[in-house]
Amino acid sequence: MPDYKAPLRDMRFLLDEVFDFPASYAAIGADDATPDMVGAILEEGAKFCEQVLAPLNRSGDEEECQFDNGVVTTPRGFKEAFAQYVEGGWMGLAADPAYGGQGLPHSLGLLISEMIGASNTSWGMYPGLTHGAMSAIHAHGSEEQKQIYLTRMTEGRWTGTMCLTEAHCGTDLGIIKTRAVPQADGSYAISGSKIFISAGEHDMSENIVHLVLAKLPDAPAGTRGISLFIVPKFLPGADGSVGDRNAVSCGSIEHKMGIKASATCVINFDSATGYLIGEANKGLNCMFTMMNHARLGTGMQGLCLGEASYQGAVKYAGERLQMRALTGPKAPDKPADPIIVHPDVRRMLLTMKAFNEGNRALAYFTAQLIDQAHAAASAEQRAEAEDLLALLTPICKAFMTETGLEATNLGMQVFGGHGFIREWGMEQLVRDCRIAPIYEGTNGIQALDLLGRKVLGSQGKLLRGFTRIVHKFCEAQAEHPQLKAQVAQLAGLNKQWGELTQKIGLAAMKNPDEVGAASMDYLMYAGYVILAYFWLRMALVAQDKLAAGSDEAAFYQAKLATCDFYFKRLLPRTAAHLAAAEAGSDCLMSLPAEHFAL
Amino acid sequence: MPDYKAPLRDMRFLLDEVFDFPASYAAIGADDATPDMVGAILEEGAKFCEQVLAPLNRSGDEEECQFDNGVVTTPRGFKEAFAQYVEGGWMGLAADPAYGGQGLPHSLGLLISEMIGASNTSWGMYPGLTHGAMSAIHAHGSEEQKQIYLTRMTEGRWTGTMCLTEAHCGTDLGIIKTRAVPQADGSYAISGSKIFISAGEHDMSENIVHLVLAKLPDAPAGTRGISLFIVPKFLPGADGSVGDRNAVSCGSIEHKMGIKASATCVINFDSATGYLIGEANKGLNCMFTMMNHARLGTGMQGLCLGEASYQGAVKYAGERLQMRALTGPKAPDKPADPIIVHPDVRRMLLTMKAFNEGNRALAYFTAQLIDQAHAAASAEQRAEAEDLLALLTPICKAFMTETGLEATNLGMQVFGGHGFIREWGMEQLVRDCRIAPIYEGTNGIQALDLLGRKVLGSQGKLLRGFTRIVHKFCEAQAEHPQLKAQVAQLAGLNKQWGELTQKIGLAAMKNPDEVGAASMDYLMYAGYVILAYFWLRMALVAQDKLAAGSDEAAFYQAKLATCDFYFKRLLPRTAAHLAAAEAGSDCLMSLPAEHFAL
C-alpha cells in the first residue's frame, strides 16, 4: 500500500491563499476556527489518518467484514481505530454544541473526511454514515429525538445508517415496500427489508440508529407517500441508555468489488419499533436536505482515492528504473532511468495531479458554500449559497468520481504489471473508487438532477449564478500578462456553456428525452469548465506569490505547470462532450429496445 | 454471471458479408475452410464456450488458483474443461499439419479464442499461452525441437509459457539478469527468476514448456544480447515421453485484481537445462515474431469482456424496472418502466455496442491480415499484409483494451449498486479486463511502438498503407445517398490524421520527447478514425441488404442505428485527442521530477 501523507500544504494553499477561509469563518461567526486552530486540527487529523487508518487499509481489504448469524465483525484494528476517533472527539467536530458537538464549521469536517477517505475509504464509511444520519436528525428530529439520539451519536457511542434502497428499487424510491403501521403509543411498527445498508451492522458502537424510509398504510402512491423513521437497533432505555433489542436484524452482508471492509448489509425490519421523524409523507424531503452534504462527501471519495493513488504513482515513477529517456540517459549511473523521465508516464501523473488539485479546489469552494448556507449572516447570502450548492453538488458527486476513477486507473497503470497485484495496493484504490460513481445516486441520476431539475428547472437561474462568477473573473483578468490566453479560453467555454444550455432547453420543450440524452455529457462538460475556472484562480495566486518573491517558488511553479497541462491536454475534452451533448436524442432512441440484443 | 451467447450472427456478418472471408480463404488455399465448415466449427466452439467454460467463470474467480509448496491447483472444473478442449482437437485447429495440426487458417483460431475469452478469460490464458509458445517454436525452433515440443503441444498434452519479465524489468528486457551457461552437451544451464508467468505452473497438462529469455555469458549489453531458450518442466525422455524433472520450480503465485483463475507464477530456474531456440542473441526477435499474434489476442480480450458485459447489461436493462420514461409510461401495467427506456441507459448500452461491434470488425480485418501474411500467394501480398499488420497491431492491442475497459465499466454502471456486488458477475468483467491495458506491452508502449517505430520509423509509409485504403473507400462512397455525410466526416478525419502525423514528425526531429508526448492520444485518435471506417463498411453492407429487401431488416437497421450513434457521440472524441496530441511536450516536461510531489 502506498504510504499516505495528508496534503496539508495544498489544503492550506486553498484555505488561506485561494479561498480565504479565515475571512469566511469570521463572516459566519466561527470564532473558534482561527487559522492556528484550523492548522492544529488538520495536523492532528493528518496524524490520525496517516498513523492509525492508513496502516489498516490493505489488511481491511484482505480480511473484509465477516458475517455470522446476524453478527458482523469488522477487520482487525477497525474497532480500536474507531474508539480512538471517538476518544479524539472527531465525531462531534462540526456538530451542534447544543447536543455535545464542538460547533466548528462543516467545511472543517469535510477536510477531515478527505484525509480519512484517502487513508482508508472503507473505515470512513462508518463515521460518514453516522454524520449523514446526524444531519437528518438535526434538521428534522424533535427536540426529544435530538436529546436521545443526536447526543449519543455526537459522542460516538451510537452510530447511524440511512436505509433507503430495497432489492427492487434504488433510484426509484417511489416504489418501496417497507411499511410503517401506527401503534397505540405513537410509535410505528416497521416491516420490510432494506439492502445496501452501509454500516448497517458492525461491532464498533453500542447502538445503531437506522433512518428508514417506509410507507404509512394510507400513504399516497409514489415519492409523495414516503415517511422517514428512526429505528434503533436497541430501544433507548428510560435513562437514555441501551435498552431492549429491537426487531431489527442483519440478514447478510454483500461480497463486493471494493470497500470490502465497509459492511454492506441487508437489514430486516420485522415489526420493529420506529419513530416518525419530520412530517408524515415528507420523508424524501427530509432525506434530500442531507443529500447535498452526502453527495459532496461521495464526490470527495473520488478525490481521496485519486490522491492516494497519485502519491503511490509518483513515488513509484521516481524509483522504478526502466528504459532510457528518448533524449538521452538521465541517470547514467543506473541500469536505466526512472520512468518519470518518460513523457507518457508524466502525462498519466499530470492528469492525476490536475484532477486531484482541481477537484480539491472545487470541493473546498463547495464546502465553503455549505458553511455559508448554514450560517451566513443574511438570508440572502444563505439563499445564494444554497443556489450555488444546488448547482455544484451533482457536479461534485459525478465529475469528481468519474475523474477520480480515471486517476486511480492511471495510478495503477503507472505501476505496469505490479499495479494489478494486490500486494502493491494500487488496484484496491481502483476497486474502492468504483462504487463512487454508483452510490448516493448514480452519476446518470446526478446528471439528470443537474440539467433537468437544477439548470432547466430554474430556467437557467442556478446556472447563471455560477457562470456570472466565472464571467466576472474572466473580465477582471482579461489582460493578465501571463494568463490572458487561458482566461480567454475559459471565457469562451463559459459562454458556450450557456449556449449549449439554451439549445438543449429549446429541444427539451418539444421532447423531454432530450434532457436525458444530453445530461451526462452536459455534466462532464460543466465539470471541465468549472475545473478550468478553479485552475485559473489557483494560477492567479501562484503568479502573485511568485511575483512577490515567495520562498516556495517550486510549489507555485508546479501549480502553474499543472494549470498549463490542464488547459492544453484535459480541457479540450469539452469539445467531445459538447458534440455529444448536442447530438440530440434520436441517435439514442431510434433503436427499439428489443433490437439491442441483435 | 450473465449467460454468454456467442454472437454468431455478428461473426457471420463480418466473415461473409463485410470481409468476404470465403474469398480470402480460397485465395490463401485454405480449401478446408469452406463456409459450411467454418459455420460448423464456430457452432461447436460456441457450444463448448457457452456450456463448458462460461459456467466456470465466476466459480473460477471465487476459488482462484491455489498454491501449495510449488504445486498449483486450478479451480474446480478447469482441468476437466481443458481435457474436453484437447479432446475436441481445439488446440491444433490452426496448427501446422506437419506437427499434427489441422492447418485451418489462423483467423479461425482467433474467432474461437474470442468466444473463449468472452466466456472465461482466465481459462483462456492456458491455451492462449500455449498457442503463443507454439508459434515461437514453429517459427524459430529446429526440426528436432518441433518434433519433440510442437507435436505434443499441438496434441494438448504439453502446454507452454513465455518467460520474459523479471522483478526489476518488464518493458525494459535489455536489463534481464537470467543467465544461460553453455554445457558440454550443447544444452545450457539456465539460472534466474521470472515473474508474471501466466500458466507457469498448473495441473492441466503432463508437461510445461517454458520459453525463457536469458543472457549468454558473453552477450552484448542490452536487447541485442538476449537469447531464447526452451526450458521444459520435465525433460523429454528419449522416446519423447515425459522424463526427469528439470530444475524449474514455481516459487509462488500472485494475488491479483482479476483473472484470478489464471495462475500468474514466479518461476525459478536453478541451473535448469535449456535449449537454445533460434540464433544466439536474437531472442528478442524471436519473441517479436509472435507478438503481433499475442497482441491482437490481448486486444481481443477487451472485445471479449466488453461483449460479455454488454450481454449482461442489455438483459438487465430490459428487466429492471425503475422510474418512468420522461415521455410517459412505456410499461403502464408494471410498477415502473424497464430502464432501457431512459436515454442515458441507452447511451451506455450503445457505447458498449458501438465499441464491441466496431472492435470486432477491426479484429477480424486484422485476423484476415494474419492469414494473408502467413499464406498469401505472392511475396508482395504477404509483405503488404505484414505492413498493415505492423500498423494495426498496437492499435488493436491498446484501443480495444481501453475501449473494452470502458465498456465493462459501463455495463457495470447499468446495474447500479448491483453491479458492484460480486454475485452478479459484472464487476468481475471489469477486473478481468483491467489487466489487458497493462500486459503484453502496456498501452503506453503500444502507443510508442505505433507512432515512433511504425509510423515515423517508416517515414509514414505504413500509415499511408492504411489511410490510402480509407481514402479510396471515401472516394468511392462520396455520393452514397444515405451515408455521404458520414463518409465526408471520415474523409476529413483521415486527412487530418496525416496532417497530425506530419506535425508531430516535424516536432520530433527537433525533440524526441515529442513522440512520447503525443503517442497515447495519437493512438486513440487513430483508433477512433479506424473504427469509423469499419462502421461505415458495415453500414454500407447494411444499406445494401436493406435495399435488397432482406428479411433480417431489424439486424441491419440496428447496425445503421449503432453507426449513427458512433459518428455522433463517440467519434467527436477525436477532437480532444487531436488537441492533446498537438499540445506538444513542454507541458509534460517542464515540471522537474522532484516537484511532482509538491
Side-chain angles (χ1 to χ4, degrees):
Chain A
M1 204 73 206
D3 286 337
Y4 173 68
K5 284 296 287 178
L8 291 174
R9 180 65 190 94
D10 201 46
M11 296 168 85
R12 295 306 296 258
F13 170 66
L14 293 172
L15 296 180
D16 300 338
E17 303 171 49
V18 179
F19 296 127
D20 198 359
F21 270 62
S24 73
Y25 282 161
I28 60 167
D31 299 330
D32 290 351
T34 60
D36 281 358
M37 173 60 96
V38 168
I41 291 172
L42 292 179
E43 279 184 28
E44 273 309 300
K47 217 181 286 177
F48 174 70
C49 293
E50 293 167 4
Q51 296 173 8
V52 178
L53 296 184
L56 298 174
N57 192 31
R58 212 178 94 70
S59 58
D61 181 66
E62 292 289 333
E63 291 174 33
E64 309 192 18
C65 286
Q66 301 299 321
F67 176 81
D68 182 21
N69 196 25
V71 175
V72 174
T73 309
T74 56
R76 190 172 37 86
F78 269 49
K79 192 176 161 169
E80 292 74 14
F82 192 77
Q84 264 186 272
Y85 175 85
V86 168
E87 179 69 25
W90 295 106
M91 192 69 97
L93 186 77
D96 189 342
Y99 308 98
Q102 297 173 54
L104 285 160
H106 290 274
S107 55
L108 201 50
L110 276 160
L111 299 185
I112 300 296
S113 76
E114 179 195 338
M115 297 190 280
I116 292 174
S119 51
N120 195 326
T121 300
S122 281
W123 187 92
M125 296 294 285
Y126 299 91
L129 269 290
T130 301
H131 282 129
M134 283 166 68
S135 74
I137 296 173
H138 190 264
H140 303 287
S142 67
E143 185 53 33
E144 189 195 358
Q145 288 170 338
K146 291 182 196 177
Q147 289 297 345
I148 296 174
Y149 298 99
L150 201 50
T151 51
R152 281 164 193 84
M153 293 166 85
T154 303
E155 273 182 280
R157 283 169 54 198
W158 296 5
T159 57
T161 78
M162 303 196 289
C163 299
L164 288 70
T165 302
E166 300 179 7
H168 67 293
C169 63
T171 298
D172 194 357
L173 291 170
I175 57 175
I176 60 167
K177 292 178 179 165
T178 299
R179 288 287 173 269
V181 179
Q183 305 296 296
D185 65 354
S187 72
Y188 294 79
I190 312 288
S191 297
S193 187
K194 296 284 182 178
I195 67 166
F196 297 165
I197 309 309
S198 298
E201 180 57 50
H202 57 79
D203 52 6
M204 291 174 169
S205 62
E206 63 184 36
N207 200 5
I208 299 176
V209 181
H210 301 288
L211 294 191
V212 183
L213 288 184
K215 294 201 145 198
L216 294 168
D218 57 352
T223 52
R224 286 164 206 280
I226 300 175
S227 304
L228 184 63
F229 299 87
I230 294 180
V231 189
K233 176 179 167 185
F234 291 99
L235 296 170
D239 58 350
S241 65
V242 167
D244 292 340
R245 177 75 192 237
N246 201 355
V248 178
S249 61
C250 177
S252 61
I253 59 174
E254 306 289 349
H255 300 285
K256 310 185 299 295
M257 181 190 205
I259 55 164
K260 294 186 176 189
S262 165
T264 304
C265 304
V266 172
I267 299 289
N268 298 316
F269 301 94
D270 186 18
S271 266
T273 299
Y275 309 99
L276 183 69
I277 173 169
E279 282 181 59
N281 298 331
K282 295 274 175 68
L284 215 54
N285 290 355
C286 297
M287 279 289 178
F288 270 127
T289 55
M290 54 187 271
M291 274 199 186
N292 277 347
H293 197 122
R295 288 182 169 179
L296 175 58
T298 305
M300 284 181 77
Q301 292 184 337
L303 162 61
C304 295
L305 291 158
E307 172 69 32
S309 185
Y310 180 71
Q311 293 189 14
V314 165
K315 185 158 179 284
Y316 189 81
E319 292 171 356
R320 173 78 172 174
L321 306 178
Q322 208 78 174
M323 311 297 282
R324 291 297 180 188
L326 289 176
T327 50
K330 297 291 174 281
D333 52 322
K334 295 185 176 150
D337 289 336
I339 61 173
I340 201 167
V341 306
H342 304 306
D344 193 59
V345 171
R346 288 170 160 255
R347 171 189 65 80
M348 296 191 275
L349 294 174
L350 282 165
T351 302
M352 302 174 79
K353 187 173 170 68
F355 281 141
N356 289 341
E357 294 173 15
N359 283 337
R360 184 172 292 120
L362 167 59
Y364 288 16
F365 179 83
T366 310
Q368 203 171 32
L369 292 173
I370 290 180
D371 288 342
Q372 289 164 6
H374 273 95
S378 73
E380 199 190 329
Q381 287 171 310
R382 290 196 296 274
E384 199 181 314
E386 282 289 2
D387 280 354
L388 281 169
L389 258 186
L391 181 84
L392 292 180
T393 299
I395 300 172
C396 286
K397 196 283 180 178
F399 184 80
M400 287 170 66
T401 58
E402 294 286 330
T403 53
L405 186 61
E406 179 175 343
T408 55
N409 268 300
L410 288 171
M412 183 178 156
Q413 190 75 18
V414 168
F415 275 64
H418 300 281
F420 198 62
I421 307 298
R422 297 219 297 266
E423 185 185 351
W424 289 84
M426 297 300 285
E427 59 84 40
Q428 181 190 341
L429 303 175
V430 176
R431 289 187 289 102
D432 286 353
C433 197
R434 185 62 189 83
I435 188 59
I438 294 176
Y439 64 7
E440 202 54 43
T442 64
N443 285 357
I445 290 296
Q446 304 298 326
L448 269 184
D449 177 53
L450 172 69
L451 180 56
R453 240 165 57 98
K454 306 292 175 60
V455 172
L456 300 180
S458 73
Q459 277 82 46
K461 174 173 165 276
L462 294 190
L463 175 60
R464 286 189 299 274
F466 187 79
T467 52
R468 198 178 304 122
I469 294 172
V470 177
H471 179 71
K472 279 186 192 162
F473 174 85
C474 291
E475 273 196 338
Q477 304 302 334
E479 304 303 326
H480 192 286
Q482 287 88 25
L483 299 173
K484 62 185 171 192
Q486 291 166 327
V487 169
Q489 202 178 337
L490 173 61
L493 289 169
N494 193 47
K495 183 159 170 287
Q496 195 182 47
W497 186 4
E499 292 159 0
L500 171 65
T501 307
Q502 278 201 313
K503 189 171 169 180
I504 301 169
L506 281 173
M509 286 198 279
K510 291 182 209 145
N511 179 359
D513 272 340
E514 295 294 340
V515 178
S519 53
M520 192 64 199
D521 283 286
Y522 181 90
L523 183 145
M524 293 303 291
Y525 177 93
Y528 281 107
V529 175
I530 289 171
L531 242 59
Y533 164 68
F534 287 116
W535 264 113
L536 280 190
R537 286 194 59 177
M538 293 191 280
L540 199 64
V541 173
Q543 290 285 9
D544 288 350
K545 296 283 176 174
L546 287 167
S550 164
D551 55 6
E552 288 184 291
F555 176 82
Y556 296 111
Q557 275 154 358
K559 284 277 176 255
L560 294 176
T562 311
C563 178
D564 181 44
F565 172 86
Y566 180 82
F567 270 76
K568 285 192 179 136
R569 307 222 21 156
L570 298 178
L571 192 55
R573 295 184 184 179
T574 46
H577 290 297
L578 179 75
E582 287 184 338
S585 67
D586 282 356
C587 64
L588 295 173
M589 305 312 291
S590 69
L591 189 63
E594 60 277 19
H595 294 175
F596 273 72
L598 289 179
Chain B
M1 205 73 204
D3 286 337
Y4 174 68
K5 285 294 288 177
L8 292 174
R9 179 66 190 92
D10 201 48
M11 295 167 85
R12 295 306 295 258
F13 170 67
L14 293 172
L15 295 180
D16 299 338
E17 303 171 49
V18 179
F19 295 127
D20 198 0
F21 270 63
S24 74
Y25 282 161
I28 60 166
D31 300 330
D32 291 350
T34 61
D36 282 357
M37 173 59 98
V38 169
I41 290 172
L42 291 180
E43 279 183 29
E44 272 309 300
K47 216 180 287 176
F48 174 69
C49 293
E50 292 167 5
Q51 297 172 7
V52 178
L53 296 185
L56 298 175
N57 193 31
R58 213 179 93 71
S59 58
D61 181 66
E62 291 290 332
E63 291 175 34
E64 308 192 19
C65 287
Q66 301 300 321
F67 176 82
D68 182 21
N69 196 23
V71 175
V72 174
T73 309
T74 57
R76 187 173 38 86
F78 269 50
K79 190 176 163 170
E80 292 74 13
F82 192 77
Q84 265 186 271
Y85 175 86
V86 167
E87 179 68 26
W90 294 107
M91 191 69 97
L93 186 78
D96 188 342
Y99 308 98
Q102 296 172 55
L104 285 160
H106 289 275
S107 55
L108 200 51
L110 274 160
L111 298 185
I112 300 297
S113 76
E114 178 195 339
M115 298 190 280
I116 292 173
S119 51
N120 196 324
T121 300
S122 281
W123 187 91
M125 296 293 287
Y126 299 91
L129 268 290
T130 302
H131 282 128
M134 283 165 67
S135 74
I137 296 173
H138 189 265
H140 303 286
S142 67
E143 185 54 32
E144 188 195 357
Q145 288 170 338
K146 292 182 194 178
Q147 289 297 345
I148 295 174
Y149 298 100
L150 202 49
T151 52
R152 281 163 193 85
M153 293 165 86
T154 303
E155 275 184 278
R157 283 169 53 198
W158 296 6
T159 56
T161 77
M162 303 195 290
C163 300
L164 287 70
T165 302
E166 300 179 6
H168 68 292
C169 63
T171 298
D172 194 357
L173 292 169
I175 57 176
I176 60 168
K177 293 178 181 167
T178 299
R179 288 288 173 269
V181 179
Q183 305 296 297
D185 66 356
S187 72
Y188 294 80
I190 312 290
S191 299
S193 186
K194 296 285 183 177
I195 68 166
F196 298 165
I197 308 310
S198 298
E201 180 58 48
H202 57 79
D203 51 8
M204 291 175 167
S205 62
E206 63 184 36
N207 199 4
I208 299 175
V209 182
H210 301 287
L211 295 191
V212 184
L213 289 183
K215 294 201 143 198
L216 294 169
D218 58 351
T223 53
R224 287 163 204 280
I226 300 175
S227 304
L228 184 63
F229 298 86
I230 293 180
V231 189
K233 176 178 168 186
F234 292 98
L235 296 170
D239 59 351
S241 65
V242 166
D244 292 340
R245 178 75 191 239
N246 201 355
V248 178
S249 62
C250 176
S252 61
I253 59 174
E254 305 290 349
H255 300 285
K256 310 186 298 293
M257 181 189 204
I259 57 166
K260 294 186 177 191
S262 165
T264 305
C265 305
V266 172
I267 299 288
N268 298 317
F269 301 93
D270 186 16
S271 266
T273 300
Y275 309 99
L276 183 68
I277 173 169
E279 281 181 60
N281 298 331
K282 294 274 175 69
L284 215 53
N285 291 354
C286 297
M287 280 288 176
F288 270 125
T289 56
M290 54 187 272
M291 274 198 185
N292 278 347
H293 198 123
R295 289 183 168 179
L296 175 57
T298 304
M300 284 182 76
Q301 293 185 337
L303 162 61
C304 294
L305 290 158
E307 171 70 33
S309 185
Y310 180 71
Q311 293 189 12
V314 165
K315 186 158 178 286
Y316 189 80
E319 292 170 357
R320 173 79 173 173
L321 307 178
Q322 209 76 174
M323 311 297 281
R324 292 296 180 188
L326 289 177
T327 51
K330 297 291 174 282
D333 53 320
K334 294 184 176 149
D337 289 335
I339 60 173
I340 200 167
V341 306
H342 304 306
D344 194 59
V345 171
R346 287 170 162 256
R347 172 189 64 81
M348 294 191 276
L349 293 174
L350 283 164
T351 301
M352 300 173 80
K353 187 172 169 68
F355 281 140
N356 289 341
E357 295 173 16
N359 282 337
R360 183 172 293 119
L362 167 59
Y364 289 16
F365 180 85
T366 310
Q368 203 171 32
L369 292 173
I370 291 180
D371 288 341
Q372 290 165 6
H374 273 97
S378 73
E380 198 190 331
Q381 286 170 310
R382 291 196 297 274
E384 199 180 314
E386 281 288 3
D387 280 354
L388 280 169
L389 259 186
L391 180 84
L392 293 179
T393 299
I395 300 172
C396 286
K397 196 283 180 179
F399 184 80
M400 289 170 66
T401 57
E402 294 286 330
T403 55
L405 186 61
E406 179 175 342
T408 55
N409 268 301
L410 288 171
M412 184 177 156
Q413 189 75 17
V414 168
F415 275 65
H418 300 281
F420 198 63
I421 308 298
R422 296 219 297 265
E423 185 185 351
W424 290 84
M426 297 300 285
E427 59 84 40
Q428 182 190 340
L429 302 176
V430 176
R431 288 188 288 104
D432 285 354
C433 197
R434 186 60 189 86
I435 188 60
I438 296 176
Y439 64 8
E440 201 56 41
T442 64
N443 285 358
I445 290 296
Q446 304 298 325
L448 268 183
D449 178 53
L450 172 70
L451 180 55
R453 240 165 59 100
K454 305 293 174 59
V455 173
L456 299 179
S458 72
Q459 276 84 44
K461 174 172 165 279
L462 294 189
L463 174 61
R464 286 190 299 275
F466 187 79
T467 52
R468 198 180 302 123
I469 294 172
V470 177
H471 179 70
K472 280 186 192 162
F473 174 86
C474 291
E475 273 196 338
Q477 304 301 334
E479 303 303 326
H480 191 287
Q482 287 87 24
L483 299 174
K484 63 185 169 193
Q486 291 166 328
V487 169
Q489 204 178 335
L490 173 61
L493 289 169
N494 193 49
K495 183 159 170 287
Q496 196 181 50
W497 186 5
E499 292 159 0
L500 171 64
T501 307
Q502 278 201 314
K503 190 171 169 180
I504 301 169
L506 281 174
M509 287 197 281
K510 288 182 213 148
N511 179 359
D513 272 340
E514 295 293 339
V515 178
S519 52
M520 192 65 199
D521 283 286
Y522 181 90
L523 183 144
M524 293 303 291
Y525 177 94
Y528 281 106
V529 176
I530 288 171
L531 241 60
Y533 164 68
F534 287 115
W535 264 114
L536 280 190
R537 285 194 59 177
M538 294 192 279
L540 199 64
V541 172
Q543 290 284 8
D544 288 351
K545 296 282 177 175
L546 287 167
S550 164
D551 54 5
E552 288 185 292
F555 177 81
Y556 295 112
Q557 274 154 0
K559 284 276 177 257
L560 293 176
T562 312
C563 178
D564 181 44
F565 171 86
Y566 180 81
F567 270 76
K568 285 191 180 137
R569 307 220 23 153
L570 298 179
L571 191 55
R573 296 185 186 180
T574 46
H577 290 298
L578 179 75
E582 287 184 339
S585 67
D586 282 355
C587 65
L588 295 174
M589 306 311 291
S590 69
L591 190 63
E594 61 278 19
H595 293 175
F596 273 71
L598 288 181

